[in-house]
Amino acid sequence: MPKHTVTLIPGDGIGPEITAVMCRVVEAVGVDIAWELAWAGTEMLEQTGSPLPTETIESIRRTKVAIKGPITTPVGSGFRSVNVELRKQLDLFVNLRPVLSLPGTGARYDNVDIVIVRENTEDLYAGVEFEQGTSAALGLIDYCERAGAGHIRADSGLSIKPISISGSKRIVEWGFEYALANKRSKLTAIHKANIQKFSDGLFLKVAREVAQDFEGRIEFEDRIVDAACMGLVMRPHEFDVMVLPNLYGDIVSDLCAGMVGGLGLAPGANIGTEYAVFEPVHGSAPKYAGKDKANPTAELLTAVLMLRHLGEKDAADRIMTAITSVLAEGRFVTYDIKRSLTGSTAGSVGTVAFAEALINRL
Ligand code: NAP
């Protein structure tokens, strides 16, 4: 019997290519994993009538751990994000996104080591939306006016931003516990509480209360999201662990990815009390699909997070060392890294050649 069974969701776009090489690299370090293949996305919608078939959710409920490639979400219309739905159905309330500058990647900043802890179930991502012109939207507009909440133009579409005490408490506590367990020194709560007093204001109030329980062990500060973005670009070394509501977490983690070489290098994990689904920060980059071009490093660093979660620390460390060494050497790097280093993609290698260089190193 294999030591671990993990649900593998290849996704679409560049997903199948980067997850295929990820499996090869994990197998090369000798971890005994049985992959349980599961599918989601547009093709599933056509075949089964749902972009997230119940078999996929059932597989994760059985294995408790999944790793996935990105899945395309139609913009503006069509089905809701499969990624958001997975997080919701499995109550994966933490989105952990470490941001680390690695030598040889052309990162704009050296020695950045920030951990983003993004709330994953609430905020404008909750999916509570009312389409412009519908009776529900018009009724809500009317209700807001009658409740004295202000005037909303009648031709508006509406998205609701729920932020709760319980949702804020568990994510901020998780951030502090993570900081303690990983010997971090500071936690910064990010918000826009000066403007959104009842949603971000509540998040900040809860964060300050939770911070009191960790006083003397982890330093606490809060920053307004726009000022935090400027601070990140000007003095990134002032940040350590950041805890953010969902939407700011989404935006700030792409900003941070840009500081350390781009989305091809940014890993992530969705974690709940029972299940964990590992996935890179980036999307399906459709223009590179099937071209053997995408950088699989983000997916590989995501596998490193997964191996640590599975208790396979040695295997995780070995992959991390191999990635660091191949990137630092600079002979086998994908187009995005070559472009950051030289301004041109000439001399870069493809997804598979980069992974093979890693496997040789292992
Ligand atoms: P994206 O797929 O992340 O791609 C944006 C750009 O980031 C790419 O054009 C490329 O930039 C760079 N990039 C992303 N992944 C890379 C990789 N592995 N290696 C090298 N460069 C990489 O974002 P998008 O185009 O906005 O989104 C495409 C689809 O993905 C959308 O449907 C979106 O909803 C979905 N999405 C899914 C997830 C998920 O499954 N968790 C997450 C985010 C977005 P250059 O061309 O400049 O090199």
Side-chain angles (χ1 to χ4, degrees):
M1 201 171 131
K3 192 168 168 204
H4 310 283
T5 304
V6 169
T7 302
L8 172 67
I9 306 172
D12 53 39
I14 58 171
E17 294 163 71
I18 58 171
T19 50
V21 299
M22 179 276 295
C23 291
R24 284 182 60 193
V25 171
V26 170
E27 279 154 22
V29 281
V31 186
D32 188 13
I33 295 185
W35 304 107
E36 199 168 291
L37 256 185
W39 301 94
T42 316
E43 264 185 45
M44 282 301 101
L45 179 66
E46 283 156 15
Q47 284 175 30
T48 69
S50 164
L52 181 59
T54 33
E55 295 80 48
T56 298
I57 291 285
E58 276 165 13
S59 170
I60 304 172
R61 288 197 197 280
R62 208 168 32 245
T63 62
K64 313 266 188 230
V65 180
I67 186 161
K68 63 183 280 293
I71 296 170
T72 307
T73 309
V75 176
S77 59
F79 62 82
R80 284 188 185 281
S81 166
V82 168
N83 310 301
V84 173
E85 191 54 32
L86 258 180
R87 295 166 193 165
K88 233 172 154 176
Q89 285 203 30
L90 300 171
D91 198 22
L92 304 168
F93 66 96
V94 181
N95 195 336
L96 178 70
R97 295 180 158 184
V99 185
L100 190 64
S101 39
L102 296 172
T105 54
R108 286 175 186 270
Y109 298 87
D110 293 331
N111 303 322
V112 169
D113 183 4
I114 297 171
V115 175
I116 290 185
V117 177
R118 164 188 174 193
E119 202 288 326
N120 226 2
T121 59
E122 303 201 309
D123 197 353
L124 284 162
Y125 268 77
V128 187
E129 298 202 292
F130 298 90
E131 191 175 355
Q132 181 273 320
T134 59
S135 59
L138 293 169
L140 191 52
I141 288 168
D142 183 49
Y143 173 79
C144 289
E145 189 121 22
R146 280 189 288 112
H151 173 71
I152 300 173
R153 291 190 188 103
D155 57 352
S156 301
L158 305 172
S159 300
I160 304 269
K161 171 174 171 146
I163 290 201
S164 67
I165 294 175
S166 48
S168 302
K169 190 165 185 282
R170 68 177 177 171
I171 193 68
V172 178
E173 280 176 348
W174 197 95
F176 272 110
E177 295 294 352
Y178 176 93
L180 274 181
N182 291 278
K183 303 194 174 22
R184 298 278 175 161
S185 56
K186 184 162 97 176
L187 184 143
T188 307
I190 304 294
H191 58 87
K192 188 81 186 173
N194 49 331
I195 303 298
Q196 291 163 30
K197 296 186 190 295
F198 299 140
S199 49
D200 286 21
L202 190 59
F203 176 81
L204 176 59
K205 179 173 176 284
V206 172
R208 284 179 173 157
E209 282 166 10
V210 172
Q212 286 172 10
D213 297 338
F214 293 85
E215 212 174 326
R217 294 184 290 167
I218 301 287
E219 186 191 337
F220 174 75
E221 65 165 12
D222 70 87
R223 296 199 194 199
I224 293 174
V225 62
D226 39 355
C229 287
M230 187 198 67
L232 278 164
V233 172
M234 294 189 73
R235 294 178 300 280
H237 306 106
E238 288 179 0
F239 293 84
D240 188 349
V241 176
M242 299 174 76
V243 179
L244 310 91
N246 209 336
L247 184 63
Y248 306 146
D250 184 31
I251 296 166
V252 171
S253 49
D254 271 32
L255 170 78
C256 287
M259 289 163 34
V260 298
L263 284 170
L265 295 159
N270 302 287
I271 301 167
T273 47
E274 276 191 81
Y275 313 105
V277 176
F278 295 82
E279 64 178 345
V281 173
H282 65 71
S284 56
K287 65 180 171 182
Y288 299 127
K291 295 200 168 135
D292 187 35
K293 222 174 154 201
N295 186 351
T297 305
E299 186 75 38
L300 291 164
L301 293 172
T302 297
V304 168
L305 293 177
M306 178 192 73
L307 290 171
R308 295 216 166 105
H309 177 85
L310 291 172
E312 299 284 356
K313 185 180 171 306
D314 287 350
D317 290 348
R318 282 181 61 206
I319 295 178
M320 193 67 206
T321 306
I323 292 173
T324 313
S325 135
V326 171
L327 289 175
E329 191 183 84
R331 274 202 306 147
F332 299 95
V333 292
T334 46
Y335 84 93
D336 51 326
I337 292 185
K338 202 50 126 183
R339 187 181 57 193
S340 294
L341 288 168
T342 67
S344 148
T345 59
S348 59
V349 301
T351 312
V352 173
F354 171 70
E356 279 170 356
L358 271 184
I359 291 167
N360 288 337
R361 194 61 50 99
L362 285 165

